[in-house]
Amino acid sequence: MSRKSVNLAVLALTLVSWGSHGQKMDFEAYNPTSTLVVPEHIIEKAKFPFVDIHSHQSRMATQDLSQLIADMDKMNMGLMVNLSGGSGENIKEIVKNINTHYPDRFVVFANVNFDGVGSPNWSKNAADQLERDIKNGAKGLKVYKSLGLRNKDVDGNRVAVDDPRLDPIWAKCAEMGVPVLIHTADPKSFWDPMDGDNERWLELKTHSRRKRTDTDPAPWQQLIDEQHRMFKKHPNTKFINAHMGWYANNLGYLGKLLDEMPNMYVGIGAIIAELGRQPKNAHAFFEKYQDRILFGKDSWKPEEFPTYFRVLETDDEYFPYYKKYHAFWAMYGLDLSDEVLKKVYYKNALKLLPGIDSSIFSTN
């Protein structure tokens, strides 16, 4: 065991056995209120209208959209991209609901079911259905992490992200001029030993099903390499790599990947905690790659958006994240310029999404 692991174990034992008046406490419970007094800027509304490129709304075909609009307006969200569109009739019903009530405020992406790859005419049928979905109003394709992790072909084998039988799907997106937002794998820490050196230990303890191994279903690096090979094989397709491709904790290497793959963009959904603990490094990254980064949140919890705004817009110091199991560290603001904010908030997304009315953003 490393010295760091020993120190963490000693700390954990100390916290369990020691406390005022005999109180017992462990790492999960220990979450002290900071006594640091520094300037703070709580931002409930983004400085500029923004596109949330990464949202999930499972009932959009039938739900009353007015409550979503009310929440969006409070935070200055101009356009929501619903990645949970499904396919076929569901796409039609979602687009009908959008166009009937709020035609300029929502976009839907289609999904492909990658189970059954290898059955007769699967590739052609999948690409043809995707083309119909796009013609029926879908503005892109969302690929879930099940591709690479769980999807099986007709022979029961794992479908690799770069399986050549999927090539017609990526080619169809290039042909139709729509982007692919793809989530591959999970944080590498989910594959690492669950010990005192693992930053995601608490998340793995509270969400044990997220733990992975090199055989469940494959090594992390293998999955990531499959994704990158696929990007390079389809240079005419625009790929939005969800969660910064799980390299938000290594922005130097992520920059090299962006240099290698000009058709790759990155979304910041669910990784704001990584950016908020490295403000100088992240600020420099956003400056250099300002044309390749898109705002996204992922889970739809309006009360969590202000943390994103605060990290991106302010120079605040040492403020908390909203999920300890994601980040037990404090956050710092990147203090991005207006020019960079506008690109991250909406300009980059509008370049990738076809046929969007940009008038809601035109005055900024």
Side-chain angles (χ1 to χ4, degrees):
M1 182 181 294
S2 68
R3 178 175 295 179
K4 180 179 178 183
S5 297
V6 171
N7 289 341
L8 285 172
V10 170
L11 174 61
L13 288 172
T14 302
L15 289 172
V16 168
S17 62
W18 178 81
S20 60
H21 307 293
Q23 176 187 7
K24 291 185 177 181
M25 188 183 305
D26 57 22
F27 176 72
E28 296 170 67
Y30 184 65
N31 194 26
T33 301
S34 173
T35 61
L36 183 67
V37 180
V38 289
E40 61 178 17
H41 305 86
I42 308 302
I43 301 178
E44 302 292 342
K45 189 173 185 177
K47 189 172 186 179
F48 304 106
F50 66 94
V51 176
D52 183 356
I53 199 70
H54 195 143
S55 190
H56 293 285
Q57 303 293 333
S58 60
R59 300 182 300 105
M60 190 168 274
T62 57
Q63 75 184 100
D64 180 355
L65 301 177
S66 60
Q67 183 57 57
L68 285 179
I69 289 292
D71 289 332
M72 290 163 62
D73 287 345
K74 288 178 183 177
M75 66 179 81
N76 206 13
M77 184 189 298
L79 182 71
M80 174 188 287
V81 179
N82 177 18
L83 301 178
S84 302
S87 188
E89 289 301 314
N90 200 57
I91 288 286
K92 292 181 182 179
E93 292 302 315
I94 290 174
V95 172
K96 179 181 178 181
N97 194 17
I98 291 172
N99 289 341
T100 300
H101 298 99
Y102 300 98
D104 302 322
R105 302 296 301 278
F106 298 98
V107 159
V108 64
F109 275 28
N111 310 127
V112 170
N113 183 352
F114 292 99
D115 283 326
V117 173
S119 59
N121 298 316
W122 186 95
S123 299
K124 182 180 185 303
N125 292 340
D128 288 348
Q129 180 59 57
L130 178 59
E131 180 174 351
R132 288 192 292 271
D133 291 337
I134 294 169
K135 288 181 177 179
N136 286 330
K139 300 294 186 182
L141 171 66
K142 156 65 175 176
V143 178
Y144 293 99
K145 65 181 179 181
S146 55
L147 177 63
L149 290 180
R150 294 188 296 273
N151 291 126
K152 301 291 183 63
D153 67 11
V154 290
D155 297 317
N157 298 314
R158 181 182 71 89
V159 179
V161 181
D162 63 341
D163 190 311
R165 293 172 292 185
L166 310 184
D167 285 345
I169 294 171
W170 320 128
K172 180 61 65 175
C173 290
E175 175 191 333
M176 303 293 288
V178 299
V180 178
L181 193 149
I182 180 170
H183 175 168
T184 299
D186 272 324
K188 185 179 182 299
S189 296
F190 290 3
W191 275 256
D192 292 337
M194 188 178 166
D195 58 22
D197 287 327
N198 193 321
E199 286 187 320
R200 307 299 280 259
W201 177 88
L202 182 57
E203 181 169 3
L204 292 173
K205 183 176 186 297
T206 56
H207 300 75
S208 59
R209 294 180 64 184
R210 296 181 183 180
K211 183 71 178 75
R212 296 286 180 179
T213 68
D214 285 351
T215 57
D216 179 21
W220 182 84
Q221 193 62 58
Q222 178 179 332
L223 296 168
I224 299 302
D225 289 345
E226 289 173 0
Q227 184 200 68
H228 295 167
R229 285 195 298 267
M230 186 263 282
F231 289 176
K232 292 175 180 178
K233 188 176 182 180
H234 296 273
N236 295 323
T237 305
K238 304 296 185 184
F239 293 98
I240 304 169
N241 206 339
H243 316 299
M244 280 190 155
W246 304 121
Y247 277 114
N249 61 338
N250 189 350
L251 294 178
Y253 187 71
L254 180 57
K256 292 179 181 179
L257 293 175
L258 287 166
D259 293 340
E260 291 176 8
M261 295 175 280
N263 60 326
M264 183 180 94
Y265 300 75
V266 293
I268 65 171
I271 51 83
I272 197 68
E274 295 287 3
L275 302 175
R277 64 171 170 170
Q278 50 175 331
K280 292 182 180 180
N281 194 42
H283 179 100
F285 181 88
F286 273 68
E287 285 286 339
K288 184 173 182 179
Y289 296 102
Q290 59 186 266
D291 297 316
R292 311 279 291 281
I293 306 169
L294 293 87
F295 184 95
K297 170 65 176 60
D298 198 353
S299 62
W300 176 243
K301 294 185 178 180
E303 68 275 12
E304 295 177 352
F305 279 79
T307 298
Y308 280 69
F309 306 150
R310 192 175 183 186
V311 170
L312 297 175
E313 297 183 22
T314 79
D315 62 355
D316 283 2
E317 298 179 290
Y318 205 83
F319 54 91
Y321 186 59
Y322 46 79
K323 287 181 181 178
K324 184 184 176 185
Y325 71 78
H326 270 178
F328 52 83
W329 52 81
M331 312 280 284
Y332 299 80
L334 276 56
D335 194 25
L336 298 176
S337 68
D338 286 357
E339 179 182 6
V340 173
L341 281 173
K342 289 177 184 179
K343 290 182 178 180
V344 173
Y345 274 154
Y346 67 90
K347 287 187 176 181
N348 294 339
L350 294 183
K351 289 179 181 178
L352 293 175
L353 298 172
I356 300 299
D357 183 358
S358 62
S359 60
I360 191 171
F361 308 96
S362 62
T363 59
N364 297 282

